[in-house]
Amino acid sequence: MKKFDKDRLILGLAGPALALVVAVALTSVVLLVSGRDPIEPYQIMFDSASYVDVQVLIINQAGTYYLAALAVAVGFRMNLFNIGVDGQYRLAAMVAALVGANVGLPGPLRIALIVLVAMLVGALWSGIAGILKTSRGVSEVVSTIMLNAIATSLVAWLILPKNFGVQPAGSNNLTTGDIPESAWFPGLSLGPEAGEIYGFTFVAVACGVIYWFVLGRTRFGFDLRATGASESAAQASGVDAKKMVLTSMLLSGAVAGLVGMPTLLGDTHTYSIDFPAGIGFMGITIALLGRNNPVGIALSALLMAFLVKSSASLDQHGYEKEIADIMQGLIVISVVVSYELVRRYGLRRQQQKVGEELAAGGALKTEKEEAAL
């Protein structure tokens, strides 16, 4: 049975806890310097989150964030930085919406097709970066950033009315057409005032369980993590490092393709030019804060969703809702600094424990020698 490592648990919790404390403290300093109350905005946000309808919004947003963070975390576990999740999910959502609006299939089959198309498009788009890295050594950071820009332009071109887009009468918006109601993903209704929790939010939870099992309990997951830790060591043990790089990029993109599904299948039922953007970059923050752990990512997703949704009421009380954006940015900076501090402390603590064990072993040996004499 694996021994419980108390020190490891404490160090694992210390990083995100320290990051949050520092972020809140720095945000309070910013408010204080600007002549604002450093405490009241937090009270307003917590009061806002006490309403059931806001709680539903937070849960729905957290499900979307969770999928984005899982997509990033798959790459992180392989020591890859897939910064292109935003482009991958938007292109995937757009193509999936087109298919859903135009392919005539019964409801359940249409839903399955929409999800499958989204995953395939996301995987193919991220696979381009994987191929460039394995065949030409191109950094996935550079290639995925460029692919984000290309995806944005491609979506803008595809959604033009002369191509595949639809412009509703009396509107300047462009859409892909409406997905029939029979293909809407059923959610959990909490009443007319509270609203509905997207059904795909529960799929996001299932994806977290699959992520935990595959990466932590299978040979494939071990090979993936081992390759991320050391490609040369993995190759020496018979693992094809290039194949693992490409596979992890494809998996990351496939999960990224699911990011737009909660909104598409549970709310808008179409892709339009005002479809949510920037979620992929939020996923990077959440994956870092959650330390690539499925439970940590879930808590981080809820935190970020809370900041986004509860801050909407700040402007009604004379505060700018961008306060939440400041806090999010400070969390990112604090995460990097706090994790490095915790890592250094952990190394010193480990060296200290090794020294104590060696000293204890030496003392025991001396006692045995004295007893033998």
Side-chain angles (χ1 to χ4, degrees):
M1 185 176 178
K2 191 175 180 180
K3 186 178 178 181
F4 177 72
D5 192 339
K6 183 176 70 174
D7 287 347
R8 184 177 178 182
L9 176 62
I10 293 174
L11 289 174
L13 295 174
L18 181 60
L20 290 177
V21 170
V22 172
V24 171
L26 291 177
T27 305
S28 299
V29 170
V30 171
L31 288 167
L32 197 60
V33 170
S34 61
R36 301 299 187 90
D37 189 317
I39 304 298
E40 188 180 18
Y42 304 120
Q43 295 175 337
I44 294 171
M45 292 169 69
F46 278 109
D47 288 342
S48 175
S50 66
Y51 293 97
V52 179
D53 57 335
V54 177
Q55 292 171 2
V56 170
L57 291 175
I58 290 172
I59 292 172
N60 286 335
Q61 191 68 63
T64 300
Y65 285 165
Y66 190 64
L67 288 170
L70 286 181
V72 175
V74 170
F76 278 166
R77 296 300 292 269
M78 183 64 189
N79 204 23
L80 295 171
F81 198 172
N82 180 9
I83 206 170
V85 169
D86 204 68
Q88 292 155 20
Y89 102 80
R90 285 189 290 117
L91 182 61
M94 194 270 178
V95 176
L98 273 176
V99 171
N102 294 285
V103 174
L105 286 174
L109 291 179
R110 195 189 296 244
I111 292 174
L113 179 62
I114 291 170
V115 174
L116 180 61
V117 168
M119 293 180 69
L120 287 175
V121 173
L124 289 173
W125 201 249
S126 66
I128 297 173
I131 292 172
L132 289 173
K133 185 174 181 66
T134 54
S135 63
R136 291 292 182 265
V138 179
S139 169
E140 75 281 0
V141 175
V142 175
S143 59
T144 50
I145 289 175
M146 296 298 101
L147 286 167
N148 271 344
I150 296 172
T152 299
S153 300
L154 184 57
V155 168
W157 180 79
L158 289 172
I159 207 170
L160 290 174
K162 65 179 181 180
N163 296 319
F164 300 100
V166 176
Q167 184 171 4
S171 172
N172 292 326
N173 199 5
L174 299 177
T175 77
T176 54
D178 293 330
I179 296 173
E181 188 172 352
S182 61
W184 295 3
F185 203 95
L188 176 62
S189 177
L190 299 180
E193 294 184 359
E196 183 179 84
I197 297 176
Y198 299 153
F200 221 87
T201 299
F202 301 101
V203 176
V205 174
C207 288
V209 175
I210 295 171
Y211 167 86
W212 166 80
F213 179 78
V214 172
L215 268 70
R217 294 293 185 273
T218 66
R219 174 59 188 269
F220 169 78
F222 174 80
D223 290 345
L224 188 146
R225 288 183 284 111
T227 306
S230 173
E231 285 193 18
S232 57
Q235 286 178 331
S237 64
V239 179
D240 188 338
K242 288 187 176 181
K243 181 180 178 180
M244 292 305 297
V245 168
L246 180 58
T247 301
S248 63
M249 286 300 294
L250 290 171
L251 285 175
S252 180
V255 178
L258 296 176
V259 174
M261 295 300 99
T263 302
L264 179 65
L265 295 177
D267 182 19
T268 63
H269 310 298
T270 186
Y271 186 96
S272 63
I273 58 177
D274 55 2
F275 201 79
I279 295 175
F281 299 106
M282 180 67 79
I284 297 173
T285 301
I286 294 170
L288 286 172
L289 185 60
R291 305 198 70 162
N292 302 320
N293 179 281
V295 176
I297 291 173
L299 296 175
S300 302
L302 283 169
L303 171 64
M304 292 302 179
F306 162 77
L307 291 176
V308 170
K309 295 303 181 181
S310 65
S311 63
S313 61
L314 285 175
D315 55 0
Q316 300 175 11
H317 296 81
Y319 292 93
E320 294 77 9
K321 59 183 179 181
E322 284 73 21
I323 290 172
D325 296 331
I326 294 173
M327 186 176 292
Q328 290 168 18
L330 290 173
I331 286 174
V332 176
I333 298 173
S334 302
V335 161
V336 176
V337 175
S338 64
Y339 282 6
E340 179 60 21
L341 291 175
V342 170
R343 185 188 70 83
R344 292 184 181 183
Y345 173 80
L347 287 176
R348 287 198 301 270
R349 176 62 179 160
Q350 189 177 25
Q351 292 168 354
Q352 182 183 358
K353 289 178 67 176
V354 170
E356 292 172 353
E357 290 173 359
L358 289 175
L364 181 62
K365 182 178 179 182
T366 301
E367 290 177 3
K368 289 181 177 179
E369 290 175 349
E370 291 176 352
L373 294 175

